[in-house]
Amino acid sequence: MSSRREILDLLRENARYTTEDIARQTDFSVEEVAAAIEDFEEAGIVRGYQAVVDWGAVETEDERVRATVELNVALDRETNYGDIADRIAKFPEVTSLRLVSGDYDFDLEVEGDSMREVSHFISDKIAPIPEITQTVTHYIMESYKEQGMEFGDRDDDDRLSVSP
Amino acid sequence: MTFEPADRVDQVPPSGIRRFFELAEEMDDIISLGVGEPDFTAPWAAREAAIASLERGRTSYTANRGKRELRERIARFEADKHELPYDPDEEILVTAGASEGLDLAFRALMNPGDAIAVVQPSYVSYVPDAIFAGAAVVDVPTRSEDEFKLTRDVLESSGAAEADALVYCYPNNPTGATMTGDELAEVAAFCREHDLVVFADEIYADLTYEHEHTSIATLPGMRERTIVFNGFSKAFAMTGFRLGYAMGPPEAIEAMNRIHQYTMLSAPTTAQYAAIEALDSCWEEVQEMTSQYDRRRKYVLSRFEDMGIDCFEAAGAFYAFPKCPWDDADEFAEALLQEEGVAVVPGSAFGEGGSGHLRVSYATGLPDLKEAMSRMESFLE
Ligand SMILES: Cc1ncc(COP(=O)(O)O)c(C=O)c1O
C-alpha cells in the first residue's frame, strides 16, 4: 500500500509530474493525490516548486553569481538565532539560510548578477548587522551537483536496444 | 576443409530476440521497452571498489570458486535475505554471470539423453544450454489463465514427470510472474514424487512487489535436489560486470567447479571486488531501484488498463506481459516499431506459451515510459 510520503518523494523526483502521473505510479486515485498535494501546500510541507538550473550552461550575459557565506554572530539576552535569521532571510538576494554546527553559525547562500553586486550586498547589508561578528565569503566557481542532480554529461543509455 | 558448426550448435534454433534487435537497430530515436537489463548504472560504491582494486593492482586470478571473502558475504546475504544457508567453502560457486552457472549445471549434472523440463515462456538460454549439454528438452508451457505460474496441472500434462530435471525462473523473464511459497509447495511435491532435480534461476529474487520471494530450496526435502542461481546483474544493476553464483549441495558444486576450473578458471576478479562492496554497502540503493521499478510497474499496468489491453498483475522482475491486441504478436511488434518507434518483444521469442503476448520491459525511466505508452495508445486508435 502506498503512503502519502510516496507522493512527496515523487514530487521531489519531478515536480512536473501531473496528479495523473502520480496516481498511476501509486495506489492513490487522482482525487486522493490532488487532495494530498493541497494538504501538503496548506500545511507548509511543500513550500514551492522550482526548476534545478545549471547556470553554467546558460548564456554568459544571463549568468548568475552565487556565493556561500559563513557568518558568525554574537547573541545576547534579547536576541536569539531566530531573530537574526529573520532579519537576514528577508533580503531577496539571500537564497538559502541555515544554522549549522561547527566553526561558524550560519551558512548563507547569496545570488546576484555580478560579483560586484554580491560583494556590495555582503558589505552593505549583511556585515553591518550588529550581531554579526564575522563573514567569510566563498564565490561558487563551478557547480557539479545541485539538489541531487548531477550536472556532468548525462549518462548515455548504452544498452542494446533489444536484449533477452 | 572448412569450418561447419557442430551438430549440437546447428540444432539451436535462431533467436527471436536477435531478429528483433536487428530491426530495432536500423531505426533512429526509438524508445525501447525491449531491454532485458536495468536502466540504472551499478551503484557508485561498487564501481569505485572495482576501480580501487585495479589501482591496488588486484589483477590476478582468484580461487576457482571465487574469492573467499565474496563467498562468505554471499552466504550471509542469502541466509539473511532468502533464508538460504549455504556453506561458503563447499556449497557456493562464483560464476561469470548466472548464465555460466546454468551452463555448468546442465553440463556437469546431466548425461546425454537425460531430459530437462523447461518451464516456458522463459529466459532464452535454457533450451540452448540443454542442447549443448546433450540433454533432451521437455517443453512445459505455462498458461495465461494461470498468470504464467507453474502448476501441478501444467507439469503433469506436459510430461515433466518423465524428465530428470526441471529448470525455471521465478520471478519470471519474460512474464513478470512470481510464485508464492504455497504455489511452489505444489511444484516441490511433484519434483519429490517424480525424483526431479531443480535448477532454480532466482536472479530476480529481490525484484518482487507484491510478496516476498520464496526459494524452492527452502521447502522440505528440496535443498538436496536444488541448485539455486543468482547474481548481481539485476537487483544490483551490474550486468556488465558478469558476476553470478550457484548454490547447491557440495557434490553438485564440486562437479560444476570441475568444468569451471578448466573453462573459466575464475570469475572476473575486478567484478568480484565490486560485488563484495555491493553486498557490504549497496542494499539501500537496491531498495531505491526496486521502489522505482514498482512505480513504473503500476504506471504501465494502469495505462494498459485504460487502453483496454488485457494484462495480469505481473509482480516481479521488470516486465509486464500483456495479451497482444492483435492475433499476431510478431506482426504487431513489428508494426509498432516501424510506425511509432516503440520496441517491445513478441512473446514467441521466449518459447512455448508466449505467443499472442508481448514482453514490455519497464527498465526505462518514466518520461520515456510515458511517451511509449502514449504512442502505443495512439497506434491502437
Ligand atoms: C532469468 C534470467 N536468468 C539469467 C540471466 C542472465 O544473468 P547473468 O547476467 O547473471 O548471466 C537473465 C538476464 O537477462 C535472466 O533474465
Side-chain angles (χ1 to χ4, degrees), chain A residues 21 24-25 159 161 163-164, chain B residues 32 37 173 302 306 359 370:
Chain A
D21 292 340
R24 288 190 194 277
Q25 292 182 77
R159 297 178 297 167
S161 54
S163 59
Chain B
S32 182
E37 61 177 319
N173 177 7
S302 128
D306 287 1
R359 188 189 74 172
K370 190 173 168 179

Side-chain angles (χ1 to χ4, degrees), chain B residues 128-335:
Chain B
D129 282 349
I131 295 172
F132 298 146
V137 168
V138 177
D139 295 319
V140 182
T142 54
R143 300 186 289 224
S144 93
E145 59 267 34
D146 298 328
E147 302 189 339
F148 297 100
K149 288 172 186 285
L150 178 58
T151 62
R152 176 179 273 272
D153 202 29
V154 158
L155 283 164
E156 273 164 4
S157 59
S158 61
E162 306 305 317
D164 302 281
L166 175 72
V167 60
Y168 67 70
C169 57
Y170 284 104
N172 184 269
N173 177 7
T175 65
T178 56
M179 298 276 288
T180 64
D182 286 346
E183 289 159 349
L184 274 176
E186 232 185 284
V187 174
F190 181 91
C191 293
R192 290 190 304 263
E193 278 162 38
H194 300 284
D195 198 22
L196 301 187
V197 299
V198 178
F199 300 121
D201 181 349
E202 301 188 0
I203 189 114
Y204 292 102
D206 296 304
L207 302 182
T208 58
Y209 314 108
E210 298 288 333
H211 57 86
E212 294 267 300
H213 173 74
T214 300
S215 172
I216 198 167
T218 63
L219 302 180
M222 293 309 293
R223 191 186 195 278
E224 57 268 37
R225 60 173 70 246
T226 304
I227 316 280
V228 178
F229 303 89
N230 205 332
F232 296 88
S233 287
K234 310 296 171 170
F236 289 93
M238 289 169 60
T239 45
F241 282 88
R242 308 306 307 124
L243 205 70
Y245 49 91
M247 300 175 291
E251 65 281 7
I253 294 299
E254 165 60 26
M256 288 164 65
N257 189 35
R258 257 195 264 169
I259 301 180
H260 173 80
Q261 69 185 338
Y262 294 119
T263 55
M264 189 64 63
L265 271 79
S266 57
T269 301
T270 313
Q272 293 191 48
Y273 281 99
I276 289 172
E277 184 61 33
L279 292 175
D280 278 350
S281 76
C282 300
W283 186 246
E284 247 179 62
E285 273 167 89
V286 172
Q287 287 175 307
E288 176 52 33
M289 292 189 270
T290 311
S291 63
Q292 296 259 357
Y293 291 134
D294 190 21
R295 288 175 193 154
R296 299 165 180 184
R297 176 183 74 105
K298 287 176 177 161
Y299 183 86
V300 166
L301 291 174
S302 128
R303 291 293 299 261
F304 283 159
E305 198 181 324
D306 287 1
M307 283 184 235
I309 292 181
D310 183 7
C311 188
F312 75 101
E313 194 184 11
F318 31 65
Y319 310 105
F321 203 62
K323 232 183 211 127
C324 183
W326 298 3
D327 286 340
D328 188 330
D330 288 59
E331 221 171 81
F332 178 89
E334 208 167 315

